Short mmCIF file of all heavy atoms in Angstrom, two decimals:
data_model
loop_
_atom_site.label_atom_id
_atom_site.label_comp_id
_atom_site.label_asym_id
_atom_site.label_seq_id
_atom_site.Cartn_x
_atom_site.Cartn_y
_atom_site.Cartn_z
N LYS Z 603 96.77 104.24 84.20
CA LYS Z 603 96.29 104.10 85.57
C LYS Z 603 95.35 102.93 85.61
O LYS Z 603 94.24 102.98 85.10
CB LYS Z 603 95.63 105.37 86.10
CG LYS Z 603 95.25 105.15 87.59
CD LYS Z 603 94.56 106.35 88.19
CE LYS Z 603 94.10 106.07 89.56
NZ LYS Z 603 93.40 107.31 90.15
N ILE Z 604 95.78 101.79 86.12
CA ILE Z 604 95.11 100.55 86.08
C ILE Z 604 94.88 100.01 87.54
O ILE Z 604 95.90 99.81 88.27
CB ILE Z 604 95.75 99.46 85.26
CG1 ILE Z 604 95.99 100.05 83.82
CG2 ILE Z 604 94.91 98.19 85.19
CD1 ILE Z 604 96.62 98.95 82.92
N ASN Z 605 93.71 99.63 87.89
CA ASN Z 605 93.50 98.98 89.21
C ASN Z 605 93.98 97.49 89.16
O ASN Z 605 93.39 96.74 88.33
CB ASN Z 605 91.99 99.05 89.46
CG ASN Z 605 91.62 98.41 90.80
OD1 ASN Z 605 92.35 97.85 91.40
ND2 ASN Z 605 90.42 98.68 91.31
N ILE Z 606 95.01 97.24 89.87
CA ILE Z 606 95.42 95.88 89.90
C ILE Z 606 95.38 95.29 91.31
O ILE Z 606 96.21 94.42 91.73
CB ILE Z 606 96.96 95.79 89.42
CG1 ILE Z 606 97.89 96.61 90.33
CG2 ILE Z 606 97.00 96.23 88.04
CD1 ILE Z 606 99.44 96.38 90.05
N THR Z 607 94.33 95.59 92.01
CA THR Z 607 94.12 95.18 93.31
C THR Z 607 94.03 93.59 93.34
O THR Z 607 94.70 92.96 94.24
CB THR Z 607 92.82 95.73 93.90
OG1 THR Z 607 92.92 97.16 93.91
CG2 THR Z 607 92.58 95.20 95.31
N ASP Z 608 93.33 92.94 92.37
CA ASP Z 608 93.30 91.54 92.32
C ASP Z 608 94.65 90.83 92.23
O ASP Z 608 94.88 89.82 92.84
CB ASP Z 608 92.38 91.04 91.23
CG ASP Z 608 90.89 91.41 91.45
OD1 ASP Z 608 90.57 91.70 92.61
OD2 ASP Z 608 90.12 91.33 90.57
N ILE Z 609 95.55 91.45 91.40
CA ILE Z 609 96.91 90.95 91.26
C ILE Z 609 97.60 90.96 92.53
O ILE Z 609 98.28 89.93 92.99
CB ILE Z 609 97.71 91.54 90.14
CG1 ILE Z 609 96.97 91.28 88.75
CG2 ILE Z 609 99.09 91.21 90.13
CD1 ILE Z 609 97.56 92.08 87.63
N VAL Z 610 97.54 92.10 93.24
CA VAL Z 610 98.41 92.33 94.41
C VAL Z 610 97.84 91.40 95.60
O VAL Z 610 98.51 90.83 96.30
CB VAL Z 610 98.46 93.71 94.87
CG1 VAL Z 610 99.07 94.04 96.26
CG2 VAL Z 610 99.04 94.66 93.81
N THR Z 611 96.53 91.26 95.53
CA THR Z 611 95.91 90.32 96.51
C THR Z 611 96.47 88.86 96.33
O THR Z 611 96.78 88.19 97.26
CB THR Z 611 94.36 90.29 96.34
OG1 THR Z 611 93.81 91.58 96.60
CG2 THR Z 611 93.70 89.29 97.25
N ASN Z 612 96.56 88.44 95.10
CA ASN Z 612 97.12 87.16 94.74
C ASN Z 612 98.57 86.96 95.17
O ASN Z 612 99.05 85.97 95.60
CB ASN Z 612 96.96 86.77 93.33
CG ASN Z 612 95.41 86.36 93.03
OD1 ASN Z 612 94.92 85.54 93.68
ND2 ASN Z 612 94.87 86.83 91.98
N TRP Z 613 99.33 88.15 94.94
CA TRP Z 613 100.71 88.03 95.46
C TRP Z 613 100.71 87.98 96.97
O TRP Z 613 101.55 87.21 97.58
CB TRP Z 613 101.43 89.38 95.12
CG TRP Z 613 101.79 89.53 93.70
CD1 TRP Z 613 101.90 88.49 92.75
CD2 TRP Z 613 102.18 90.56 92.90
NE1 TRP Z 613 102.26 88.95 91.49
CE2 TRP Z 613 102.45 90.34 91.62
CE3 TRP Z 613 102.30 92.01 93.32
CZ2 TRP Z 613 102.86 91.19 90.70
CZ3 TRP Z 613 102.64 92.88 92.33
CH2 TRP Z 613 102.96 92.58 91.11
N SER Z 614 99.87 88.73 97.65
CA SER Z 614 99.89 88.70 99.11
C SER Z 614 99.44 87.51 99.78
O SER Z 614 99.89 86.98 100.76
CB SER Z 614 98.98 89.90 99.68
OG SER Z 614 99.41 91.18 99.19
N SER Z 615 98.57 86.69 99.09
CA SER Z 615 98.04 85.47 99.57
C SER Z 615 98.88 84.30 99.07
O SER Z 615 98.61 83.08 99.46
CB SER Z 615 96.61 85.26 99.14
OG SER Z 615 96.59 85.12 97.72
N SER Z 616 99.93 84.58 98.30
CA SER Z 616 100.84 83.53 97.68
C SER Z 616 100.16 82.61 96.59
O SER Z 616 100.52 81.56 96.29
CB SER Z 616 101.51 82.68 98.86
OG SER Z 616 102.23 83.50 99.63
N ALA Z 617 98.87 83.06 96.21
CA ALA Z 617 98.22 82.39 95.10
C ALA Z 617 99.05 82.50 93.81
O ALA Z 617 99.15 81.64 92.98
CB ALA Z 617 96.89 82.92 94.96
N PHE Z 618 99.76 83.62 93.62
CA PHE Z 618 100.62 83.86 92.61
C PHE Z 618 102.05 84.12 93.15
O PHE Z 618 102.23 84.69 94.19
CB PHE Z 618 100.39 85.15 91.69
CG PHE Z 618 99.06 85.06 90.96
CD1 PHE Z 618 98.51 86.22 90.41
CD2 PHE Z 618 98.39 83.82 90.75
CE1 PHE Z 618 97.35 86.18 89.69
CE2 PHE Z 618 97.18 83.83 90.08
CZ PHE Z 618 96.71 84.96 89.51
N ASN Z 619 103.14 83.61 92.54
CA ASN Z 619 104.46 83.97 92.83
C ASN Z 619 104.65 85.44 92.33
O ASN Z 619 104.21 85.74 91.28
CB ASN Z 619 105.49 83.06 92.19
CG ASN Z 619 105.57 81.78 92.80
OD1 ASN Z 619 105.49 81.64 94.07
ND2 ASN Z 619 105.61 80.66 91.97
N ASN Z 620 105.33 86.27 93.10
CA ASN Z 620 105.53 87.65 92.53
C ASN Z 620 106.74 87.71 91.67
O ASN Z 620 107.81 88.00 92.08
CB ASN Z 620 105.66 88.59 93.78
CG ASN Z 620 105.84 90.07 93.33
OD1 ASN Z 620 105.89 90.36 92.09
ND2 ASN Z 620 105.99 90.93 94.32
N TYR Z 621 106.51 87.55 90.50
CA TYR Z 621 107.59 87.71 89.46
C TYR Z 621 107.36 89.05 88.68
O TYR Z 621 108.04 89.39 87.65
CB TYR Z 621 107.56 86.55 88.37
CG TYR Z 621 107.86 85.31 89.05
CD1 TYR Z 621 107.04 84.15 88.79
CD2 TYR Z 621 109.03 85.10 89.76
CE1 TYR Z 621 107.37 82.85 89.32
CE2 TYR Z 621 109.35 83.84 90.34
CZ TYR Z 621 108.46 82.72 90.07
OH TYR Z 621 108.82 81.49 90.57
N GLY Z 622 106.56 89.94 89.12
CA GLY Z 622 106.18 91.19 88.53
C GLY Z 622 105.06 91.25 87.62
O GLY Z 622 104.22 90.30 87.64
N LEU Z 623 105.02 92.25 86.72
CA LEU Z 623 103.93 92.44 85.85
C LEU Z 623 104.42 92.39 84.42
O LEU Z 623 105.58 92.84 84.13
CB LEU Z 623 103.23 93.77 86.15
CG LEU Z 623 102.77 94.07 87.56
CD1 LEU Z 623 102.32 95.50 87.76
CD2 LEU Z 623 101.54 93.23 87.83
N ILE Z 624 103.51 92.09 83.51
CA ILE Z 624 103.78 92.28 82.05
C ILE Z 624 102.63 93.23 81.55
O ILE Z 624 101.50 93.08 81.90
CB ILE Z 624 103.82 90.90 81.27
CG1 ILE Z 624 104.13 91.28 79.82
CG2 ILE Z 624 102.56 90.18 81.46
CD1 ILE Z 624 104.49 90.00 79.08
N VAL Z 625 103.06 94.24 80.79
CA VAL Z 625 102.14 95.20 80.18
C VAL Z 625 102.24 95.07 78.67
O VAL Z 625 103.34 95.16 78.02
CB VAL Z 625 102.53 96.68 80.70
CG1 VAL Z 625 101.55 97.64 80.04
CG2 VAL Z 625 102.55 96.70 82.24
N ARG Z 626 100.98 94.97 78.02
CA ARG Z 626 101.12 94.58 76.61
C ARG Z 626 99.77 95.22 76.00
O ARG Z 626 98.77 95.34 76.78
CB ARG Z 626 101.17 93.14 76.33
CG ARG Z 626 100.10 92.32 76.94
CD ARG Z 626 100.39 90.86 77.15
NE ARG Z 626 99.30 90.32 77.91
CZ ARG Z 626 98.19 89.86 77.52
NH1 ARG Z 626 97.83 90.06 76.24
NH2 ARG Z 626 97.26 89.33 78.32
N GLN Z 627 99.75 95.32 74.74
CA GLN Z 627 98.54 95.62 74.07
C GLN Z 627 97.64 94.32 73.98
O GLN Z 627 98.17 93.23 74.03
CB GLN Z 627 98.79 96.29 72.66
CG GLN Z 627 99.42 97.62 72.68
CD GLN Z 627 99.43 98.34 71.36
OE1 GLN Z 627 98.44 98.25 70.59
NE2 GLN Z 627 100.55 98.94 70.98
#
Side-chain angles (χ1 to χ4, degrees):
K603 180 182 177 182
I604 304 181
N605 183 344
I606 61 167
T607 302
D608 288 346
I609 292 175
V610 177
T611 297
N612 281 313
W613 286 343
S614 300
S615 66
S616 299
F618 294 168
N619 291 318
N620 181 1
Y621 296 129
L623 302 169
I624 183 167
V625 182
R626 58 196 172 85
Q627 292 191 45

